[in-house]
Structure formats: C-alpha cells, structure tokens
Amino acid sequence: MADKQKSESKRGGFGSKLGFILAAAGSAVGLGNIWRFPYLAAKYGGGFFLLVYLIFAVTFGFSLMLTEIAIGRRTGKSVVGAYREVHKGFAGLGWLAMIIPALILPYYCVIGGWVLKYMVTFLTGGGADAATATYQTADPGVTLNFFTNFISHVGEPTGYFIIYVLLGAVVVMLGVEKGIEKVSKFLMPVLFLLIVAIAVYTLTLDGAGAGVKYYLLPDFTDFSAGKLFKTVAAAVGQLFYSMSIAMGIMVTYGSYMRKDDPLESSVRNIEVFDTAVAFLAGLIIVPAVFIFSNGDAEALNKGPSLMFVTMPQVFRTMPAGQVIGALFFILVTLAALTSSISLMEVVTAVVIEKFRVKRMWASVIVIVITLLLGLLSVFGYSIWSDVTLMKMQILDFFDFITNNIMMPILAFLTCIMIGYVVKTKYVEDEVLFGEDRFRSVKMYRIMIKFICPVCMILILLTPFITDI
Ligand code: PHE
C-alpha cells in the first residue's frame, strides 16, 4: 500500500478541479473549434446545424467524454495500462489509443507551425502581404499565393514546425501540475477573453447582421431526409473531434484527476466551454466572411484554406484589421498549442509507464518520433508533393486514417466494452464516487449501449455514402 501511494504521488496529477477542467478544455478547444466548426455550420444550414450539434453535444459528446474520463480516473493509468485493467480482452484498445495521438501529433504540429507563421507575420506588420502576395513559379501557368508558396518550401515550414513542437514539449516536460495545469489556467481565460473581444468587434461592423442571421437562423428550404442525415453525420463527426474523444486524451487526463472532484459536473463544464468557443468562433468568422464576400455563401465553403487564405483577405478589408488579425492568430496559436500538449501527454505517459523512464527522457523520445513523422507531412506538401497515399497528400492521409477510421473504431469498441462487457456500472460507480447522484444516468446508458455505437458506424460509413 505504501508503495502504491508512493508511485501514485510520483506520477503527479492535477492540483485543482478548475485546473483539470481548464486543461481538458484546453485540449478540446483547438483548430476544430475555430475553423472547422464555423465553416460546417455555414455549410449545413446555419441554425439547423447549431441545433443538431447542441443536442448531440449534451447527449452523445457528454456520454463519451464521461466514459473516457471515468476509465482514466478509475484505473489511474496511462491508456495502455488503463484499457487492460478495464478488461484484458480489450487490452489492444490501449495501444490503439496510443497510436492515434502518436500519428495525429506530428501533422497537428505541422499545422500549428503554419499558424505560428501567420501569427508572426501579422505581429510584424505583414498581414497585408498574407492577403495579397503572389509568387510566380518556374512553370509560367502556375502562380502561388502567400499560403501555397509558404507550404511549398521546406525550410520555413520545418523551422516553424520544430519551434512549435519544442514549445509544447517544454510544457509537457514540466509535468502535469507545474506544466499543463499552470499553462492552461493562464492561457484558457486569455483565449476566452480574446475570442469574446474579437466577436464583439466583428458584430459592430457594418453589414454584420446579415451574416449573423445566416449563421443563426435555420434554413429549411429544400429540407429532406438526405439533408438531415448529412447534417447529423457532420455534427457527430465534428463533435467527436472537437471534444478530443477517442484520442486517449480524456483517459490520460482523467487518470490525473483528483478522486474527490465531481466527475459529472466537470464534464458538463468542459463541454460548455468547448461549445461556447466554437459558437463564438462562428460569430466572428461567418459574419466577417459574409461582409467580405457580399453574402456569397461559396466563400464560406472553403475548408482549410478559409483560415489561411480567406481570413487574411477579410482582415485586410476590415477597419483595424491588422490588429484584429494579429489577435486572431494569437488566439488560434494558443488554442492549437494546448491541444497538441494534450496529444503529447498521452504518448509521454505511456512511455513513462511502460519503459519506466523519467518524464524528461520520455518527452525526448516523443519529440524525436514527432519530428521524424512530422517531416513526412512537411515534405508531402513540398519536395514530395508527387507522393500520394490512397490518392491523398501525406498530411491528409494521416488525418484521414486517424479521424475517419481509427478513432470511430476505438470509440465503437469502447462503447461495446463498457455497454455490454463490463457494463455501464463500471463508469456509474466512478461517477458516484463521493457524489450522491448521477443525474444523467438513464440517458448515459442509452447513449453508450445504443446511440453512440450506431453513430460510430455512421461515421465509418460516411466516406462511402456522401452522394445520397
Ligand atoms: N479538439 C481539438 C479541436 O477541436 C482537436 C484535437 C485535440 C486535435 C487534440 C488533436 C489533439 O481542434
């Protein structure tokens, strides 16, 4: 017993309830909230998507996040040890839950490096350049814009990528309480203030009203079963990613959570924070792009390039746009940084536990692997741009196999394990630890046994049924 206590105290953990909530929210709030959510909301009928998203957030997202945090806290182990302890037959899931973040981390940091580049560009007064610069290539037919020119090189993207990885690594090396918790407690409130300030400013711009209307009011014209299906699939997919589910993160963070803090209300808080940031990001981006493009919805359907190409153009035309642009990219950098820290922690925790090495050395191992794998993604957009895997660039390929295949499989099997093998009581007991009730228990059971597994199958199938 004394030994166990010793090893537990050595492992470290969050020092307060607020610290835990803000660290988990730091993981959840990321690029997904800031560029992906607004653009999906705009694409799938504004208010209607918001409504579907909210319903799923408080039911589906809540149940999955609660499950992962409960598994982590009950076992007190890194993902590999945790899944094995829940059920030996599902031990393989622990490895899957480590491989997923190990594969996402490198390319997420490459994108983090891009964001860092934009932050530096705006802070050094180059925002206008980011909006308008063009570059002629050796091929007379091809001109590049600021973004495509930047990623087509090796040197700069590699440099920013390395700096970005090291920034996150320093925090992880400092440990859970002194590193992750401290940084999140400072950065998350800053991030929230920034996003509120930028949103308020955007709403005062001439013509913002039409964009807000488009974003908030449901559009039921040509409503059909197919449209409903697609909206639900998009909302579920987004939610899953946005709440950092099935990446081993919530299990790992849960393992550092204090036993006497309430689980259910903590999960609710994380969920509200994550959804609020996504909603506010939409209030910034949708009206801003709407004004810029004179209401042309096409402009909102740009996907990844929305943030790197369209937003700088929007800032260029906006009064005080350079300042707002700089603040915006600081915001995105902070959001992405706390997410990559959480990915790094999952893998580091496994290395510490399995190889019994000090945190510092475990971090070094993770950094080396991340740098090597990340370079593949950097090269994939530059010197190896001809290389494709399943018709995708290297970065897009890593994104696809993790998000569309491995994560839904992990979440599906986790639901089966909890819902049918060890039974939901496993989680319920952990929620009830030190609490007198589990308010949403009925809904929780239905979600884990029926709705969540079906939604996971839906996500796995969507790449094949997008044409309905
Ligand atoms: N939840 C993050 C987001 O919304 C996604 C993410 C988290 C990705 C952690 C990687 C690691 O952007």
Side-chain angles (χ1 to χ4, degrees):
M1 183 63 199
D3 254 15
K4 192 165 179 247
Q5 268 177 0
K6 205 166 135 209
S7 76
E8 264 174 14
S9 61
K10 244 186 165 172
R11 198 168 175 270
F14 291 109
S16 66
K17 179 182 166 200
L18 184 69
F20 168 74
I21 292 173
L22 291 180
S27 169
V29 172
L31 298 173
N33 302 57
I34 299 179
W35 71 256
R36 201 162 180 271
F37 179 85
Y39 117 79
L40 282 178
K43 181 170 170 185
Y44 290 99
F48 182 60
F49 179 86
L50 275 182
L51 185 69
V52 173
Y53 185 87
L54 283 179
I55 294 173
F56 275 88
V58 299
T59 52
F60 165 94
F62 167 83
S63 305
L64 282 178
M65 186 184 273
L66 184 84
T67 302
E68 292 198 7
I69 295 180
I71 291 178
R73 194 172 78 170
R74 182 154 176 171
T75 59
K77 296 215 164 92
S78 76
V79 274
V80 170
Y83 278 94
R84 171 174 318 235
E85 187 168 317
V86 179
H87 194 281
K88 278 226 164 55
F90 287 85
L93 289 189
W95 289 104
L96 185 59
M98 186 202 86
I99 292 169
I100 292 169
L103 290 178
I104 297 180
L105 178 63
Y107 82 77
Y108 200 83
C109 288
V110 171
I111 302 177
W114 299 350
V115 177
L116 201 58
K117 157 82 180 171
Y118 273 71
M119 184 182 96
V120 172
T121 305
F122 271 84
L123 284 176
T124 51
D129 223 23
T132 52
T134 51
Y135 303 81
Q136 185 59 50
T137 59
D139 178 349
V142 184
T143 32
L144 300 176
N145 61 30
F146 184 84
F147 177 62
T148 45
N149 177 60
F150 168 64
I151 59 170
S152 72
H153 289 86
V154 174
E156 255 204 308
T158 305
Y160 279 106
F161 161 62
I162 295 176
I163 297 173
Y164 185 86
V165 172
L166 295 180
L167 278 177
V170 171
V171 179
V172 172
M173 276 182 188
L174 286 171
V176 180
E177 192 173 355
K178 293 211 190 83
I180 300 174
E181 179 167 352
K182 262 215 169 113
V183 167
S184 312
K185 265 176 140 172
F186 172 66
L187 291 188
M188 295 317 285
V190 173
L191 181 148
F192 200 75
L193 286 180
L194 266 179
I195 202 163
V196 170
I198 306 176
V200 169
Y201 177 78
T202 327
L203 294 181
T204 61
L205 296 177
D206 269 353
V212 174
K213 241 190 193 159
Y214 176 76
Y215 178 50
L216 296 182
L217 291 184
D219 173 11
F220 287 111
T221 45
D222 46 80
F223 188 76
S224 64
K227 201 166 168 195
L228 177 67
F229 176 84
K230 276 193 199 169
T231 308
V232 169
V236 169
Q238 168 63 13
L239 203 92
F240 189 55
Y241 184 76
S242 185
M243 292 181 78
S244 301
I245 289 163
M247 301 179 182
I249 294 172
M250 293 302 160
V251 175
T252 308
Y253 276 19
S255 75
Y256 300 129
M257 186 184 180
R258 296 196 309 192
K259 274 284 191 191
D260 38 8
D261 286 337
L263 245 171
E264 189 176 13
S265 65
S266 300
V267 174
R268 283 277 177 230
N269 286 329
I270 301 166
E271 176 190 293
V272 169
F273 201 109
D274 185 59
T275 309
V277 172
F279 177 75
L280 287 169
L283 266 190
I284 295 172
I285 291 182
V286 179
V289 175
F290 215 79
I291 299 171
F292 167 75
S293 63
N294 287 325
D296 174 15
E298 272 279 297
L300 284 163
N301 280 331
K302 286 265 161 65
S305 68
L306 177 72
M307 191 159 79
F308 296 108
V309 181
T310 316
M311 287 314 284
Q313 291 169 351
V314 173
F315 292 130
R316 202 175 91 86
T317 54
M318 190 188 260
Q322 293 307 306
V323 178
I324 301 296
L327 292 177
F328 177 80
F329 282 106
I330 294 176
L331 168 80
V332 184
T333 305
L334 301 185
L337 196 63
T338 43
S339 294
S340 42
I341 288 169
S342 68
L343 286 171
M344 208 176 269
E345 178 60 28
V346 177
V347 192
T348 308
V350 173
V351 176
I352 296 174
E353 197 174 289
K354 287 288 140 194
F355 300 105
R356 297 178 185 278
V357 288
K358 288 230 162 67
R359 176 168 281 272
M360 157 86 185
W361 289 113
S363 309
V364 172
I365 296 173
V366 175
I367 294 170
V368 172
I369 298 174
T370 305
L371 289 178
L372 291 176
L373 281 179
L375 281 181
L376 298 179
S377 291
V378 174
F379 293 162
Y381 275 118
S382 48
I383 42 176
W384 292 349
S385 59
D386 310 336
V387 179
T388 52
L389 298 161
M390 289 167 62
K391 299 202 189 117
M392 283 174 261
Q393 311 251 211
I394 301 174
L395 189 152
D396 306 50
F397 172 75
F398 279 128
D399 185 59
F400 179 78
I401 52 164
T402 48
N403 283 292
N404 295 56
I405 300 175
M406 294 161 94
M407 286 164 51
I409 292 179
L410 173 61
F412 176 78
L413 292 174
T414 304
C415 291
I416 301 299
M417 173 179 82
I418 296 293
Y420 297 95
V421 182
V422 301
K423 307 278 166 31
T424 52
K425 195 167 176 317
Y426 188 91
V427 168
E428 289 165 26
D429 286 349
E430 188 59 29
V431 175
L432 287 171
F433 189 92
E435 296 294 303
D436 37 348
R437 58 192 283 235
F438 178 1
R439 288 167 200 277
S440 326
V441 67
K442 287 212 180 85
M443 174 203 82
Y444 175 77
R445 289 180 191 150
I446 297 173
M447 283 289 144
I448 292 300
K449 289 169 94 162
F450 309 108
I451 314 283
C452 295
V454 170
C455 287
M456 289 307 117
I457 292 177
L458 185 73
I459 295 187
L460 277 168
L461 293 179
T462 30
F464 307 101
I465 44 176
T466 41
D467 296 331
I468 51 166

